[in-house]
Every structure is written in C-alpha cells, then in structure tokens.
Amino acid sequence: MLEARGLVAGYGRAQILFDVALEIRAGEVVALLGRNGAGKSTTLKALMGLLPLRAGEVRFGAERIDRLPAYRIARLGLGYVPEDRRIFTDLTVIENLEVGRQPPRAGAPAWTPARLYELFPNLARMQTRLGGRMSGGEQQMLTIARTLMGNPAALLLDEPSEGLAPVIVEQMARTIRDLKREGLAILLSEQNVHFADAVADRAYLIEQGHIRGAGALAEVRERYQSL
Amino acid sequence: MTVLAVKSLSKSFGGVRAVRDVSFTVAAGELLAMIGPNGAGKTTCFNMVNGQIAPDAGSVEFEGRSLARLAPRQIWRLGVGRTFQITATFGSMTVRENVQMALLSHHRRLFSFFSLSKDQFVKDAEALLDRVGMRDQAGRACSLLAYGDLKRVELAVALANRPRLLLMDEPTAGMAPEERDELMRLAAELARDSRIAVLFTEHDMDVVFTHADRIIVLAEGELIAEGAPAEVRANARVREVYLGAGAGHA
Amino acid sequence: MSYDSFVIQFLNGLAGASSLFMVAAGLSLIFGVTRIINFAHGSLYMLGMYIAVACAGKIGFWWAVPVAALAVAAVGALVEMLLLRRIYAAPELLQLLATFALVLVAKDYALWQWGSEDILGPRAPGLAGAVAIGKAAFPEYDLFLIGFGPLMLLALWLVLTRTRWGTLVRAATQDREMAAALGVNQKWLFTGVFALGAFLAGLGGALQIPREPATLLIDLSVVSDAFVVVVVGGLGSIGGAFVAALLIAQIKSFCIGLGFSQVTLVAEFIVMALVLVLRPWGLLGRVPAQARGPWTAERPLVPPSRPALAALGAVAATLLALPLVSGGYTLVLLTEILLFALFAVSLHFIMGPAGLHSFGHAAYFGLGAYAAGIFLLREKLPMELALALAPLVAGLGALVFGWFCVRLSGIYLAMLTLAFAQIAWSVVFQWDALTGGSNGIVGVWPAPWLASKTAYYLLTLVVCAAAIAFLWRALYSPFGYALRAARDSPLRADAIGMDTRRLQWAGFALAGLFAGIAGALYAFSKGSISPETMAVTRSVDGLVMVLLGGIQTLTGPLWGAALFTWLQDTVARNVDYWRAVIGAVILFLVLAFPQGVTGFVGERLRARDA
C-alpha cells in the first residue's frame, strides 16, 4: 500500500535520513521505533511531502508520491497526524473537522462528524468548543478525527502516546485497534515500547536516520532496548 | 530545612479553577516530583512557583521570602535555577558560551562593552561543564548538539548561580529511556551533593518512581496524594485517576 | 467647540475610518495567511485611486469603483502568483523587501501612466449634495461611507466564519503546513486571500476619490497609517482593525477640526503609545506565535582571523591613501559610501545580533542630520561641536522610541519602528519654523579647515572607521553576547536573570546614536538637508544594504552599502525612472540570492572548502 525506498532528507545542511526503506501493507499496523532524534518524525514528514526529499522513491497504491506537494498526497488518501497535535486552536471542534473534510473515496472507510463522535464520544459533547480550550488528551483525539475526515486509506501517526497520561494512552491504543478493524493501514512512530506492543503487528527500528531492523515486534523491541 | 514552601495556592482562568488550595514544601537536597493527568494543574502550579503566572491566592516562599510579584529573572537572582520542558539554550553560541552567559549575568557583567566575552569566567564555565560531563564538547555550537547533551548544558546553565532550588519542567521529555535515567541520576547526585532542593514535573513514571524522594499528585487542580513513591503507587485514588491498570510501567 | 461642529467632526472621523479600515483589514488578512507584511498595500490603494479616477470619466463613478477594485484585485493575484509564490519560504525581511520593491515599481508606473500632478476625482453622482446638521452641512457621500465601512466588516465576517473558504483561511492563518497536510491547496488559498486583500485596498482607494485627489505620495502615507491601525487594533484581527481605524480616524478628524493639524501625529503617537503599553499586541490582538528565527541557526561568533584583519587593514590603508591619486567626484561618492556604511553597520547591529528588525532606522540618521543643521545655523554652534552633539539627539530619539519598540518583537516591532519613523518625518515636514518644512535647511557647511573634499573625506573615513570598529568590537563584548542571547532565546535569557528589555533598549539607543553620527556627517557633506533625508525610503535603503550584504555576516553591511550606494548613484544619474530600476534590481536580488550576496558567496566558498 505504502512503500518507500532510499529516502534521503534533512534540514538545511544537516542530513537526517539515510537511505530509509519501509513498507506498509493494507490493513496492517506498523510501528516505527526509535529514540528521540532518530528520524521518526522526519520519516513521516518526508513520506507526507512536508519535507523535500533529496533522493528516494515513495509509492502509495499505484501512484508515485515522492515529488507531490502535501495537499495532493493528502487528497490521494494518505492521512497524517502530527506529534504535537497542531489543532487549529481558534477554530471550534466542528470547524477543525471541516478543514479536514475531503470527498469519500473507494476502498477506504468514509467518515462523517456523526460517525467520528461515536468513535470519540468526548468530542460529541464539545462540538462548538474552541480547539484551544481542550485538554491535551481531547486535542489528541481531535487531531486524529480531523485527519479521518479526509477519508484516508492509510494513516501516519506521529507519537500518538507522547505526553498523555497513562489512562489516556490506554484509550488511544483502543482507538488504533478500532481503526485497524475499519481497514486502515497505519504507520505509527513511537518511542514508548509498551504502547507499540499493544497495537502494532510488526515494527521497524530507526537509529540515527538508518533503518536498523525490521520484523516481528518482539525482536525489534529487543534490539531497541539494547541500544 | 525547608527551602520552598507553597501555601494554599489557587488560580482560575476564565472561571475555571485550574489550581485549588495546593500546599507543599521541598527541603534542601530533596527531589520532589509533581505528577498528575493532563489538565490537572501541574503546569499552572509550576509556573506560579517560577513567577510566570501570578496566583489568585496563596503564597510561594523561597527560604522564607515571598516570591509574589517577582519576575522570573528576579527569582533567579535569589537563587532559583530552572530547566525547560523543551530545552532553551542560545543556539548561536557554543556550549561554553552558554554557561558563560549565565555566569556573566550572575556577576552582573552584561553591560560591559569593552572586555572580551570569551575571556570571562572560562574556568568557572568549564568546571560547571565538567560536573555535567560536557567539558569535552565545550567548543561545539549548541545548535549541533544531540538532545540529551542539550539537556545537560541546560543543567550546567541552571547551576551557574549556585541555586538552592532547582525547578525542572519535564526534565526527561523527548529523551530515550536510558538517557533519561542517566540525566536524572546526574540531577539527583548534584542535588544531594550541593543540598539543592529540586521540584520537577514528569510524565515518565519509571523516572518518577526511581528518582523522586517524595511525590505529590494533582488531579483537577487539587492535591490528592502526597508521600514516598511506594505509598503513592499504592494509593487507590491515584491509580484510579492517573496511573491506570498498568500502574508504573507505561 | 459647538455641539454642531462636534457632531460634524465626529461624522468626518467615521467617514475617514471606512477607507482606513478596508486597507488595514486587507493588510491584516494577507499577513494572517501568508505571513507577509505587504508594504505595497498603500500602492494598491494608490492604484485603486488612479484607476477609478481614470475610468470615472468614461463609465461613470459608480461603475468605476468596482472596476478599479477588481482591477487592483487582479493585479494582486498576479503579484502573488508571479512573485510572492517564489519567496514564501524566504526570511520575512526579504519578503518585506520584495514588497517594498513593488512600491517603487508601482510609483514609477503611476508616474509614467498618470504624470506627477495630483488628479481630482469626480463627485459621486446621486450623492453630490449635503445634508444639514444643525447649522452645518455634511456631504451625503460621507454619510454613505459611514454606512459602508460596517457593511464591509459584516461581509468579511460572514465570509470568514460562514463559508468553507473562510474556515480554510482561518485554519491556514494558524498553521499553513497542517492545513496542507489535510489536503488544503494553499496555492489558490493564498492567491485568493491576496486578491481579496488587494480588492479591499483598491476599493478603499477608489471610494476615496470624491474626497481627495489621487496623488503619488499617498502610497507610503496610507500604508504607514494602516500599520498604525493594525498595530493598535492587533495584527490579524479584523474587528481590531475596525475599532482602531475608528479611533485613529477620530483623532485625525478632531485634531484637524480643532485647528491643530500639526498635533495630529503627536496625538496619534500618544494613542498608539498608550495602547502598546497597556496592550502590547493591540486592542483585540493576541500574543503572536513565535516568529521564525533568524535564517537558519547562526554559527557561533569567532574572532576575525589574521588574514581577515589584514585585509580590512589593507582596505582602510587604501582608502586613506586614495586622495593622493584621486579626487573630485570619486571622493564625494566615497564619502557617501562611507557614511552609509556606518548607517548600515549600525542598522545591522540591532537587526542581526539583537534581532530587532527596524524599518525606521532613517529616523535616527535624519535626527542626526537635522540636529547638526539646527545646532549650526539656529544655535550658531561651531561646526565641530554641532557634529559632536547631533548624534546625541539621535540617540535620545532612539531612547524614546526604543522604549516602546523593545516591548514588541518580530513584525510588530518592524511596523512600530516604521510608524515612528513616519511620525518623525511628518514632524520635520510640518515644523516649518525649526526645520524649514519641505524646503529643509540649506547652508550646512563644514568648518573652513574641513571645507575641501579631501579633508572632509578623510574626516568621514576616520570617524566612520572608528565608529564601525567600535560597533564590531562591542559584538564581542559581554553586551554583544547578551544581545544575541536575548534574541536566541528570550525565555532562557529571562531565566538566567537577564533584563532583556533593558539590554535591547540600550542596543537600540546605541544603534540610533551611531546612525546619528552618519546623519550628521551626511548633513555637512551635502550642505543641505531635506525631509527626504529621513524618509521611509532611506530606512529601506539601509535594509537593502544589510540584506544585500547578508545579515549573518559582520562585514556584509559594508559591501552592501558600497554596492547599493554606487548603484543608486549610477542609476539615478542616468535613468528617468530610477525607482523602478532599483525596484527591479531588488526583486532580482531577492529572487536570486535569498541569503544575501555575501551570504551567498560565503556559502559557495564553504561548499568549495568542504
């Protein structure tokens, strides 16, 4: 479904990614494990077209997306949820969802605000609340809901458990399993091994911009923890 | 000896009471962790102690002196150091120069136009960098450092005015597990050696339960538990509102 | 003041507010989404006026207004697509510079198309009469304008809150990248917003033609008024722009009505100062998100290498020996280059290391120049003393203005410095008794021993070299480091006990003082001073010099000043439409070297070394 080969990217003169390759198949949840600064967020941004690639190739379904601007990639059905949530704080919950709205597409679950409120009951109670007046956990739910409004076929989730209280993290894990049941393919970056354990089918390990391991979660986790 | 005494602190934002009647103390050489779910009032509480927010009611006393209405820079002058959740360092300067800035400020030499900055307090700066294990990188630009090293630089900067109280906002956020442990071990060691009182907020329960001497737990703006790590971990209310079923290892 | 005339002045103020609101709202809207302060917004207003006047004769006033507004909107859309799209990723100062280049081009276009004379517009058919208010008469057209402003506010509000487009605009205002990642095509969103902003400016201009003639001078005066409105109202707040436009227009109206038109600017200044002290981000504004930092992370400051010092010494020695082999015009041009080099270095001092982006540095240059002239001719001081004292006046001015400026940061600070400079300019322009008004002061000649071109050149060389050396040396001192610290991380600076405001205030005043030295030297080199000496264009000249040289380099301002002064001198002597040529050159440089020329060359050299 999503396949990247030979990704090279960076900021300014600094190179962050070196020849990163990974693949996500339909309906899978894949974790990208790595410590802070290893290149997890950069990988997701590069896949999403938010950071220009210096080299490499990305395929999404039948399309080459490595030279496309971010909005085109989003419209092809790749959803992106940033690590710092980036809620539009001046917009209400319902307006935040409106920004994400795209026409439904074949082969991907179709979302409406009503369906999303079922998935995130908290949001239903605060539809007209400004994004800036929500707690961190509520914002995390909204940022995922907002991306789902684009009816994506695959989702890039950047550190969904970061900065959340343990009870909310458990709720987040349930949500990800729900989305997987809906048929979404998910790539999530994590440094929290317990969380990855709870949701992912398999994993990649990234270290200093290189993919250092791939496979079943247990093996990758062992390598990660021995770093 | 009590270094920081917080009494009946309260703060409301637009009618919502973010912090309600919170009191606690920190003693010299003690590491006190402040934990709680998001929106519990940790940040508000923390920022009232460091002077960024003025409380509606209650008092914050440092060595018996009220910190009310003092700006952060004035609080620092009294002997309170701090580190930030997202490191704040001077990116266009080297590691040594970052520490030198704090020393120049401490010795009130900022308005000097004629001396050369690079010659000021070099020995003191290197001694501080030695304590946090950053001496060998003293000449590197801060903008090129790894995140964990940046945190150490911040610690050195925070120690430049020989603080008696150190405020650390999520000191290990964004670090790898073993780096976290190392940094907190370092902080704990410094606190005990120099009898510095440390107040820190933290999300990583491994860090909290390993390194804190005492823990206070906030929920919905109120202090719901206080005590040694083992007591807090066993507290039913804390498990219910914060730690969840997998207590202590998420 | 009688009750009637009070009512009339009040209504006048309301009528004046409508156009002002439209310009400011457009400026605010464009800034919100594209993060570009459109310096050329006043030029769009000017184009709206000229186009409306030109069309009104053929198609009638009421058709000319929408036609002019739409034409200006089309111009805006074109500018966005051809120019701004290429520089969204560039540092914000360069963006401002690019839009300023547009001001120059637009002005020369209007000059070429419509000539230099002011053109009177027609009256509005159907609303040409007046209504009686008590014993006084009030134009019907102005009543229409009073109603039109709030109507536009309502329309804008509806568009922004009730349409999907408006929701996307507000989302992009907050986080462009996130909006893109959600599938929002910002290219067209930006073009649309820019066209809407231009439409509002054009409409504001077109609606103004029954009230005042179309003139080439309106561009900068409207844009600085709009800056004041936006600073007072809060950047990005349409409602704030409306309230502030009302406030500013009322002040103007009452000052003029009471017969104190000279104090208009002072009153505006006091109101702005009050608002900024009480609410630093404007009446309805909010604390802005941290602006993008300076370029990429700057490298640590290293002491100059021996070869570099030797090269600078060689340049200084050459300059010192130059009168032996050269004379006349070369020395005059070099004198000018030297004092502008000092001007540019002083501007770089606060812009680069201190991170305070001043758009009104010419105010201090001009204060120095005027103070020198006034001390010499009005106070009859010896020339040497006048030259020595004049910079102190500039420093004092920078101390007063700086007190307000350092309370702001980023683009707010840029706009405030510009507004202050515009106020200083207007005071000089209007205070005939002291400054000679638009004629300026003539006969500001140096003492006899400095009268020869060579002697004055050598004096300028010695003073400027010493001043530049002092400013550079200061950057290596604890004070210079402290300024950089306050720029790099205000949060950390505050947390280690640094009083960042006081540091920046001192830096601002110091830079003003040194600009004043350059200004005083300039006055004696020319023998005369006019308000041009401290016009907005001069501030921008300084910016061009600094940015040409590259803001991250220490010697950049020197080479920038030399290149730009030489270029301006050559072009102005040989080309009629020199403004347009300079504008085109700036546009070319911005598009070709977004890091500045020396920055570019340095980057190349490093790349070769690596």
Side-chain angles (χ1 to χ4, degrees):
Chain A
M1 166 149 256
L2 181 68
E3 189 187 356
R5 273 188 307 192
L7 297 191
V8 177
Y11 303 92
R13 274 171 305 189
Q15 187 176 345
I16 311 284
L17 301 184
F18 302 81
D19 196 23
V20 166
L22 48 81
E23 184 193 6
I24 300 117
R25 292 183 285 267
E28 287 192 295
V29 177
V30 178
L32 181 61
L33 284 174
R35 53 157 83 179
N36 202 281
K40 299 186 300 293
S41 291
T42 310
T43 304
L44 298 200
K45 282 187 175 168
L47 290 172
M48 196 59 206
L50 295 171
L51 189 71
L53 287 175
R54 295 180 188 168
E57 198 182 304
V58 185
R59 278 178 193 284
F60 179 55
E63 309 254 358
R64 273 283 294 265
I65 61 167
D66 44 78
R67 292 283 173 271
L68 295 183
Y71 82 94
R72 292 272 304 278
I73 296 175
R75 289 180 183 187
L76 286 171
L78 187 57
Y80 169 74
V81 180
E83 76 175 308
D84 38 3
R85 300 171 198 141
R86 294 169 76 170
I87 287 301
F88 302 115
T89 49
D90 296 346
L91 272 59
T92 61
V93 167
I94 189 87
E95 284 174 332
N96 265 284
L97 295 180
E98 171 65 22
V99 176
R101 181 168 64 84
Q102 294 290 335
R105 74 189 79 247
W111 298 94
T112 57
R115 269 198 74 202
L116 286 167
Y117 295 145
E118 281 170 32
L119 190 64
F120 305 110
N122 274 354
L123 297 184
R125 288 194 297 273
M126 47 180 80
Q127 295 178 39
T128 55
R129 185 174 299 182
L130 288 180
R133 302 206 151 217
M134 302 167 79
S135 74
E138 289 157 0
Q139 286 190 347
Q140 187 67 43
M141 301 298 165
L142 178 57
T143 181
I144 294 177
R146 183 179 63 178
T147 300
L148 290 174
M149 281 296 287
N151 302 313
L155 214 50
L156 305 174
L157 278 177
D158 202 356
E159 303 224 20
S161 74
E162 170 72 16
L164 295 181
V167 263
I168 310 281
V169 171
E170 283 172 19
Q171 200 180 327
M172 183 62 61
R174 276 196 298 277
T175 305
I176 291 175
R177 286 191 292 263
D178 286 345
L179 293 176
K180 182 186 167 172
R181 258 196 303 281
E182 291 276 348
L184 259 79
I186 295 172
L187 172 64
L188 63 101
S189 76
E190 260 309 331
Q191 45 180 328
N192 179 342
V193 187
H194 303 293
F195 184 76
D197 227 359
V199 296
D201 301 317
R202 59 191 181 86
Y204 290 96
L205 176 63
I206 188 166
E207 180 61 22
Q208 292 176 338
H210 298 270
I211 295 285
R212 297 288 192 206
L217 202 87
E219 312 165 21
V220 174
R221 185 181 63 195
E222 210 155 291
R223 282 195 70 168
Y224 176 53
Q225 285 174 328
S226 69
L227 276 175
Chain B
M1 187 187 76
T2 297
V3 175
L4 177 73
V6 168
K7 282 180 207 139
S8 307
L9 216 50
S10 294
K11 180 77 190 178
S12 300
F13 294 109
V16 182
R17 295 184 65 180
V19 171
R20 271 181 272 190
D21 198 23
V22 169
S23 305
F24 60 87
T25 60
V26 195
E30 179 189 40
L31 269 77
L32 177 70
M34 176 156 66
I35 65 171
N38 270 306
K42 293 191 304 285
T43 307
T44 308
C45 210
F46 199 77
N47 285 340
M48 284 192 281
V49 175
N50 68 36
Q52 271 176 308
I53 300 179
D56 294 340
S59 67
V60 179
E61 278 178 12
F62 170 63
E63 296 177 339
R65 209 189 137 149
S66 169
L67 297 186
R69 273 183 235 100
L70 290 185
R73 65 186 156 81
Q74 294 165 315
I75 292 178
W76 181 82
R77 292 236 174 259
L78 295 178
V80 181
R82 62 179 297 205
T83 66
F84 294 95
Q85 182 177 355
I86 300 165
T87 54
T89 52
F90 307 128
S92 74
M93 295 185 199
T94 63
V95 168
R96 187 190 299 112
E97 287 167 348
N98 264 273
V99 182
Q100 279 174 302
M101 281 320 299
L103 290 164
L104 281 165
S105 178
H106 179 51
H107 295 280
R108 298 183 181 275
R109 294 289 307 279
L110 293 173
F111 279 89
S112 154
F113 292 84
F114 297 101
S115 55
L116 277 178
S117 186
K118 71 176 170 64
D119 298 338
Q120 310 293 316
F121 308 111
V122 180
K123 286 219 175 67
D124 294 2
E126 304 216 318
L128 281 165
L129 288 172
D130 228 6
R131 286 177 78 183
V132 299
M134 283 295 294
R135 183 156 180 180
D136 48 336
Q137 299 198 58
R140 290 190 74 197
C142 259
S143 56
L144 300 175
L145 288 188
Y147 198 64
D149 291 341
L150 221 45
K151 292 260 180 190
R152 289 163 180 275
V153 175
E154 261 212 325
L155 202 52
V157 167
L159 295 174
N161 66 334
R162 302 175 184 278
R164 274 95 64 211
L165 171 65
L166 190 56
L167 304 172
M168 302 176 89
D169 192 6
E170 306 234 354
T172 72
M175 298 176 83
E178 57 293 354
E179 278 181 330
R180 294 179 178 204
D181 207 48
E182 229 173 281
L183 183 86
M184 285 313 289
R185 251 204 317 262
L186 176 65
E189 196 185 294
L190 291 169
R192 272 156 211 151
D193 288 355
S194 312
R195 303 286 297 155
I196 301 173
V198 178
L199 170 67
F200 70 107
T201 62
E202 183 58 61
H203 268 118
D204 183 329
M205 291 306 119
D206 289 342
V207 166
V208 169
F209 288 112
T210 315
H211 297 286
D213 296 317
R214 221 151 43 85
I215 299 174
I216 53 176
V217 187
L218 295 190
E220 292 176 23
E222 286 181 280
L223 194 90
I224 59 163
E226 177 176 5
E231 294 169 48
V232 168
R233 200 200 294 256
N235 185 309
R237 180 100 195 274
V238 175
R239 294 178 81 95
E240 178 202 339
V241 304
Y242 186 50
L243 296 176
H249 83 122
Chain C
M1 188 185 233
S2 73
Y3 178 72
D4 287 350
S5 59
F6 178 86
V7 171
I8 292 285
Q9 287 314 332
F10 181 70
L11 292 176
N12 254 333
L14 288 182
S18 286
S19 277
L20 199 51
F21 160 66
M22 278 182 261
V23 183
L27 192 71
S28 219
L29 207 59
I30 290 174
F31 171 78
V33 177
T34 64
R35 298 285 137 178
I36 286 183
I37 287 287
N38 182 25
F39 225 131
H41 219 61
S43 307
L44 294 169
Y45 179 94
M46 178 188 75
L47 285 181
M49 276 186 117
Y50 273 108
I51 295 174
V53 169
C55 293
K58 294 172 200 120
I59 55 177
F61 172 78
W62 290 111
W63 282 108
V65 169
V67 164
L70 287 171
V72 173
V75 170
L78 271 179
V79 164
E80 198 278 339
M81 288 191 285
L82 297 178
L83 172 69
L84 300 183
R85 268 189 196 180
R86 294 166 205 279
I87 57 168
Y88 282 131
E92 64 189 15
L93 277 170
L94 284 180
Q95 298 171 340
L96 259 159
L97 205 58
T99 61
F100 185 77
L102 291 174
V103 172
L104 297 177
V105 175
K107 205 195 246 319
D108 264 7
Y109 172 77
L111 176 66
W112 172 73
Q113 179 76 34
W114 292 292
S116 59
E117 294 293 313
D118 292 0
I119 308 177
L120 273 172
R123 295 195 156 208
L127 292 177
V131 293
I133 291 178
K135 287 189 216 63
F138 189 75
E140 285 170 4
Y141 182 74
D142 288 15
L143 279 180
F144 159 77
L145 280 186
I146 291 174
F148 195 77
L151 221 60
M152 284 309 289
L153 174 65
L154 181 70
L156 272 179
W157 182 77
L158 285 175
V159 166
L160 287 176
T161 57
R162 292 288 183 273
T163 65
R164 176 172 164 83
W165 188 79
T167 306
L168 297 185
V169 166
R170 286 186 296 138
T173 297
Q174 221 187 333
D175 189 341
R176 292 184 274 185
E177 194 187 53
M178 194 60 230
L182 291 167
V184 176
N185 182 354
Q186 15 181 355
K187 250 188 191 167
W188 291 111
L189 198 67
F190 283 21
T191 310
V193 166
F194 205 88
L196 177 62
F199 176 85
L200 288 169
L203 188 62
L207 283 172
Q208 203 62 9
I209 60 168
R211 302 182 83 218
E212 54 180 326
T215 154
L216 290 173
L217 293 177
I218 197 85
D219 52 357
L220 287 177
S221 83
V222 163
V223 85
S224 30
D225 268 349
F227 281 4
V228 172
V229 167
V230 162
V231 165
V232 169
L235 197 51
S237 163
I238 304 288
F242 188 76
V243 174
L246 281 180
L247 190 67
I248 298 294
Q250 286 301 350
I251 291 167
K252 285 193 159 186
S253 170
F254 275 95
C255 286
I256 294 168
L258 291 168
F260 302 128
S261 55
Q262 282 89 341
V263 302
T264 311
L265 286 155
V266 178
E268 242 179 82
F269 169 84
I270 290 169
V271 168
M272 188 162 73
L274 266 178
V275 169
L276 287 174
V277 171
L278 298 174
R279 295 190 62 97
W281 311 112
L283 291 173
L284 299 181
R286 268 174 301 178
V287 180
Q290 198 56 45
R292 266 169 296 159
W295 277 239
T296 49
E298 201 173 281
R299 271 175 295 273
L301 196 60
V302 284
S305 63
R306 277 180 186 283
L309 280 177
L312 274 176
V315 170
T318 313
L319 288 173
L320 208 57
L322 205 68
L324 296 175
V325 293
S326 173
Y329 189 72
T330 312
L331 290 187
V332 172
L333 180 61
L334 274 174
T335 302
E336 193 153 318
I337 287 179
L338 283 168
L339 55 92
F340 278 120
L342 173 56
F343 177 58
V345 168
S346 72
L347 177 59
H348 174 264
F349 185 79
I350 43 167
M351 272 181 50
L356 304 171
H357 297 167
S358 171
F359 269 65
H361 205 50
Y364 315 108
F365 183 86
L367 279 177
Y370 268 97
I374 289 167
F375 283 149
L376 183 79
L377 297 174
R378 305 258 194 278
E379 305 297 327
K380 311 286 183 210
L381 296 183
M383 176 263 174
E384 294 85 351
L385 197 58
L387 181 63
L389 291 180
L392 297 178
V393 175
L396 200 67
L399 212 55
V400 174
F401 290 160
W403 191 85
F404 296 99
C405 292
V406 299
R407 280 165 165 65
L408 303 184
S409 62
I411 216 77
Y412 268 87
L413 179 123
M415 291 201 291
L416 189 63
T417 51
L418 180 97
F420 279 143
Q422 185 68 17
I423 286 168
W425 176 85
S426 308
V427 168
V428 160
F429 195 83
Q430 289 172 1
W431 199 349
D432 267 321
L434 188 68
T435 63
S438 57
N439 297 322
I441 301 177
V442 290
V444 191
W445 294 113
W449 66 280
L450 290 166
S452 80
K453 299 279 177 249
T454 308
Y456 199 76
Y457 164 77
L458 288 174
L459 171 80
T460 310
L461 177 61
V462 169
V463 172
C464 289
I468 290 171
F470 174 84
L471 283 176
W472 280 352
R473 182 60 176 64
L475 290 180
Y476 291 92
S477 75
F479 180 74
Y481 268 76
L483 283 180
R484 276 172 47 231
R487 172 200 66 186
D488 281 1
S489 175
L491 194 65
R492 168 50 71 196
D494 195 32
I496 56 168
M498 295 170 58
D499 189 341
T500 53
R501 267 188 196 166
R502 235 179 85 209
L503 283 161
Q504 291 178 332
W505 189 26
F508 196 93
L510 193 68
L513 180 81
F514 278 76
I517 297 177
L521 284 169
Y522 178 82
F524 290 113
S525 78
K526 293 280 167 187
S528 66
I529 319 151
S530 70
E532 279 286 287
T533 311
M534 60 196 301
V536 174
T537 42
R538 167 125 313 133
S539 296
V540 177
D541 287 352
L543 284 172
V544 176
M545 293 169 193
V546 171
L547 296 173
L548 263 185
I551 196 167
Q552 289 194 354
T553 62
L554 215 54
T555 54
L558 283 193
W559 316 131
L563 187 66
F564 188 73
T565 309
W566 170 78
L567 185 76
Q568 210 170 25
D569 182 71
T570 314
V571 174
R573 275 189 298 141
N574 299 312
V575 187
D576 282 343
Y577 294 99
W578 61 273
R579 277 194 212 91
V581 173
I582 299 272
V585 170
I586 295 176
L587 283 179
F588 168 76
L589 290 172
V590 167
L591 292 174
F593 308 110
Q595 301 297 323
V597 174
T598 26
F600 176 78
V601 174
E603 205 64 32
R604 276 295 130 102
L605 288 178
R606 268 189 295 277
R608 212 186 50 193
D609 292 347

